[in-house]
Amino acid sequence: YRGRLLSLDISLCFNLTDRAIRSLHHCPELKRLNISGCACLTDLSLKYIARYCPNLEEISMACYNDDWDFFSDRGLKRLAQGCKQLHKVVLDGNNVVHESGIRCLLNEGVQSLSLRGCQSVKGEWLLDAISTAKALRFLDLRDCHEIEAHVRKQLRTRFSTRQKGVL
């Protein structure tokens, strides 16, 4: 499998560690990775992924428990800067990610971003970040209760004029 693996789903491997993620150096052609619910992973894993998986196109890092907020803005920045082909990111339920990490993903050309249930996502800066995100085509904000109604309305308007989807 070395060098030929294109997709890897290791979601819900609760005891998977950053050290195990380091073994991805054998998978430089990896395109899709699902590490959702891997509660022991940290930003160090994102550093390894950025270093060893430069062709990554899609990553899912959903959190299924409020106590599992394991990836921060710092890790997202490393991921975005190392994986230049990244176009789909799922961060559902992550409450540690804030403005700078999301901006970095958007500035690096992410086309699809799911932030469903991310209570750390606030409104006004998101409007600004999206206005400069030329590649963004899909944004999932369902269950982001901290985003004010007037901001949601503006987001829908901006997306509809650019033929993009926002929830």
Side-chain angles (χ1 to χ4, degrees), residues 22-74:
R22 192 169 50 189
S23 67
L24 289 177
H25 74 274
H26 295 294
C27 306
E29 297 303 317
L30 195 66
K31 303 279 187 204
R32 289 170 297 285
L33 178 62
N34 187 344
I35 54 174
S36 297
C38 296
C40 293
L41 300 184
T42 68
D43 285 340
L44 185 57
S45 285
L46 297 184
K47 178 181 175 182
Y48 293 144
I49 293 166
R51 180 182 299 160
Y52 301 129
C53 304
N55 297 307
L56 196 67
E57 296 174 358
E58 300 178 13
I59 188 166
S60 182
M61 304 176 282
C63 296
Y64 301 123
N65 184 315
D66 288 340
D67 297 330
W68 292 356
D69 295 326
F70 41 92
F71 300 123
S72 71
D73 291 330
R74 184 177 182 189

Side-chain angles (χ1 to χ4, degrees), residues 4 49 62 67 89 107 113 132 135 147 149:
R4 297 182 309 210
I49 293 166
D67 297 330
V89 178
N107 290 340
L113 180 61
T132 61
I147 299 177

Side-chain angles (χ1 to χ4, degrees), residues 89-106:
V89 178
V90 175
L91 287 166
D92 298 353
N94 189 314
N95 293 317
V96 177
V97 174
H98 295 90
E99 179 178 357
S100 63
I102 293 170
R103 276 187 189 272
C104 192
L105 288 169
L106 294 174

Side-chain angles (χ1 to χ4, degrees), residues 112-127:
S112 175
L113 180 61
S114 183
L115 300 169
R116 186 175 190 171
C118 294
Q119 300 311 312
S120 60
V121 175
K122 309 288 188 230
E124 295 297 332
W125 66 262
L126 192 56
L127 285 172

